[in-house]
Amino acid sequence: MQVESEQKLNLRQRAIARADNLLAHKVDAAVTKALQELDISGERIEKAAAVYNNLVKDYPATIGKAVSKKEREELDLQSKPTLVYGEVHFKTYALAFEKIRQKYGGLQENSGGVFVDLGSGTGKAVFGALLMHQFQKAIGIEILGGLHNISLEILEVMHNMRRNENIKTSDSSYDKSFLNKTKNTVVEFVQGDLLQVNWWTTADVAFANSTCFTEELMLAITEKAELMKPGSFFITFTRRIASKKWQLLEYERHIMSWGEATVFIQQRKSYDAVVDDDNDKKEADEVETILNAKLDCIKQNNEIML
């Protein structure tokens, strides 16, 4: 009986690995196509991805899902969709940073700035941001203690990788100098409520994997986002910052681990901007956005159960 159970487990693990590889190939193809259409080199993303993959290789999404599920059950929080765990594919996420740099004039070399991830989980989006731009400070805010602790573990892995001169990898894109560029960035992981920890007065780039965020939470985040400095950027999934003080630069469907989700890139207008401009008139229809949000969250929640 035990042998049969182990065989089923091994079969499932192999199937998950094959599915992950297939999804990774699809993401690669989609990102490559997007870069070609924009006439942007993919070298930065490839080098960053090589370092990122080595950094998180011992922390697959299944660990984050299991830790999140266990803690939510222990705290009787299963009914809260905002705490559903999901991860993004690095290259899809990195593409948003490259677009901000190449299309919208942000994140220029030596510009520093502060990055904040709202609901940072195991911290992977924070580490991804570090590799895509030399921020002065990068902050992850996560309310679940188990996920917060994993982010601290990965931070220690990053420190060890910097000290290790002989990292073994088969990825020819791996470039340790890319990792070393992060050494001057202050990385801070905070366990707490993202509405109680002040991020809005300092953030130059904010990110939220907001697919399963409720309307109430998005409204609260929007109120805080309106206090961010002019010119700052906000990247969200499925749900946007619905405010006249924020300009929608673009929105596009991209492949995630749970299916597809809309990636929104927005920029804070100047303080005296009160009238919608032409770009705002192109914003996604609200009914469709809400419907997509519900569908995306269902898919992401199903992903948790795998």
Side-chain angles (χ1 to χ4, degrees):
M1 194 70 176
Q2 183 178 355
V3 173
E4 183 178 349
S5 297
E6 290 178 353
Q7 288 176 339
K8 287 183 178 179
L9 179 61
N10 290 335
L11 179 62
R12 183 170 179 76
Q13 289 174 336
R14 288 197 300 272
I16 291 174
R18 290 180 63 185
D20 287 343
N21 288 334
L22 180 60
L23 197 55
H25 285 305
K26 288 184 177 181
V27 170
D28 283 350
V31 171
T32 299
K33 181 181 178 182
L35 291 171
Q36 289 174 344
E37 290 174 350
L38 296 168
D39 195 24
I40 297 175
S41 169
E43 182 179 6
R44 188 195 307 267
I45 291 179
E46 289 298 329
K47 287 187 176 182
V51 175
Y52 175 86
N53 290 335
N54 271 273
L55 175 63
V56 303
K57 64 183 179 181
D58 294 328
Y59 297 88
T62 50
I63 290 179
K65 293 173 187 176
V67 170
S68 172
K69 184 173 182 290
K70 181 175 183 293
E71 187 166 354
R72 284 184 289 123
E73 288 175 347
E74 291 174 349
L75 299 176
D76 195 23
L77 297 172
Q78 302 99 307
S79 61
K80 286 199 171 185
T82 56
L83 299 180
V84 170
Y85 185 83
E87 290 189 3
V88 303
H89 280 280
F90 174 78
K91 288 186 177 181
T92 299
Y93 174 68
L95 179 61
F97 284 81
E98 203 68 345
K99 285 182 175 182
I100 289 174
R101 176 182 293 108
Q102 301 287 356
K103 286 182 67 177
Y104 304 117
L107 300 178
Q108 298 304 298
E109 296 297 330
N110 302 316
S111 62
V114 176
F115 170 83
V116 179
D117 179 8
L118 306 179
S120 53
T122 58
K124 291 182 179 180
V126 173
F127 297 112
L130 288 177
L131 294 169
M132 289 306 297
H133 178 71
Q134 289 178 263
F135 289 99
Q136 291 173 317
K137 189 173 186 178
I139 304 167
I141 304 171
E142 172 57 49
I143 199 166
L144 294 180
L147 298 178
H148 169 74
N149 290 335
I150 292 175
S151 67
L152 297 178
E153 289 181 18
I154 300 178
L155 179 59
E156 185 59 31
V157 172
M158 185 177 72
H159 293 325
N160 290 334
M161 284 177 64
R162 287 206 203 101
R163 292 189 288 262
N164 188 351
E165 297 295 331
N166 300 305
I167 294 177
K168 295 181 180 180
T169 175
S170 59
D171 193 333
S172 59
S173 297
Y174 186 86
D175 182 350
K176 189 181 178 182
S177 65
F178 222 73
L179 175 64
N180 290 337
K181 291 179 181 179
T182 68
K183 66 181 179 182
N184 294 323
T185 300
V186 176
V187 181
E188 181 180 357
F189 288 105
V190 180
Q191 184 183 355
D193 187 329
L194 60 84
L195 297 178
Q196 300 299 320
V197 179
N198 188 332
W199 48 268
W200 48 89
T201 57
T202 57
D204 294 282
V205 179
F207 167 71
N209 184 354
S210 49
T211 293
C212 286
F213 285 7
T214 61
E215 289 296 313
E216 292 76 14
L217 180 56
M218 284 305 299
L219 285 173
I221 290 174
T222 296
E223 288 181 4
K224 302 299 186 184
E226 289 182 341
L227 302 175
M228 290 172 67
K229 66 190 73 170
S232 52
F233 293 89
F234 215 127
I235 305 167
T236 60
F237 291 168
T238 305
R239 299 179 184 272
R240 65 184 177 88
I241 302 298
S243 167
K244 291 183 179 181
K245 294 184 178 181
W246 280 83
Q247 177 182 352
L248 177 63
L249 298 176
E250 67 170 71
Y251 62 96
E252 191 173 55
R253 298 286 285 182
H254 281 285
I255 300 170
M256 305 295 172
S257 64
W258 61 90
E260 287 191 344
T262 304
V263 178
F264 292 92
I265 301 178
Q266 295 178 251
Q267 186 172 29
R268 177 69 165 82
K269 298 177 183 177
S270 61
Y271 286 119
D272 58 356
V274 293
V275 181
D276 289 350
D277 57 21
D278 289 340
N279 281 324
D280 289 305
K281 293 176 183 177
K282 299 177 182 178
E283 290 180 353
D285 177 83
E286 283 303 299
V287 174
E288 182 180 359
T289 299
I290 292 171
L291 177 59
N292 283 335
K294 293 181 181 296
L295 292 174
D296 290 343
C297 187
I298 289 170
K299 291 176 183 176
Q300 186 169 327
N301 196 31
N302 286 339
E303 174 75 5
I304 298 297
M305 299 301 144
L306 291 178

